[in-house]
Structures are given as structure tokens and as C-alpha cells.
Amino acid sequence: MTTEHSVEAKGVIFRLFEPIAELTPMPHKLLEGWGELDPQMLKMSLLSLMIFPFVMPIPMAKLHGYQLNEEFYQQLAKHNIALLENGICGGKR
């Protein structure tokens, strides 16, 4: 992604996720089942999962072996959903 495309992508992302900024504090329903997690940190984690893959610099993606294409983003979306449903440790600590 060129710098021009990166700026364009960031603009789209900010427009799409701007409503999330209004979720302070986050609605009670979104916090159910998360225990004592800090709502602001939870919101940051969710935003990071949703936004970072689209603004990651190409050299960083290449360094870690990622090919940022449609297949990758679909696989990542499924993974993030599973991660949120099961937690990083699968609910086991």
C-alpha cells in the first residue's frame, strides 16, 4: 500500500469507526462476560483488532510473512471472531 493509499485507507477507517468513539462508557451489554476488564482498554483492544491490519505498513507485513490480500483479511476476520468468542486462552487459565 502506498502512502497515498494508506492515507485514504485511514480516512475510510476513521469514518467507519467514528461511532465507536461515542461508546464511552461502553454499553453494559458489550461488557457482559468480560469480568473486571477496564472498558477503555477493552475498547482499545477491539479497535486494534479491527483497524491495525488495514494500516500496517507493507514492510512490516512482509517482515512477518503476511500477504495482505482478500484471503488474508477473510481468514483474519474469522480468527478475530474466534479469538473474541473464546479468549486468547480458550477460557482456560
Side-chain angles (χ1 to χ4, degrees):
M1 181 181 303
T2 65
T3 302
E4 178 183 325
H5 290 115
S6 179
V7 170
E8 183 179 326
K10 287 177 186 176
V12 169
I13 289 166
F14 288 135
R15 283 193 304 277
L16 288 173
F17 295 106
E18 189 174 359
I20 293 174
E22 304 301 319
L23 298 178
T24 306
M26 292 182 79
H28 182 71
K29 285 234 179 223
L30 290 177
L31 296 175
E32 288 177 5
W34 291 95
E36 298 296 318
L37 293 177
D38 181 320
Q40 284 296 96
M41 293 296 110
L42 178 59
K43 184 166 81 169
M44 175 59 79
S45 296
L46 294 173
L47 288 169
S48 297
L49 285 171
M50 291 185 288
I51 295 172
F52 180 74
F54 299 100
V55 296
M56 179 178 10
I58 296 295
M60 179 184 282
K62 288 181 180 178
L63 177 67
H64 293 282
Y66 300 121
Q67 292 183 14
L68 304 180
N69 54 34
E70 185 176 343
E71 181 181 342
F72 169 79
Y73 289 119
Q74 287 186 11
Q75 182 181 3
L76 181 62
K78 290 176 185 176
H79 168 78
N80 285 346
I81 290 167
L83 182 66
L84 292 172
E85 287 177 342
N86 300 305
I88 292 174
C89 299
K92 300 174 188 173
R93 289 189 188 187

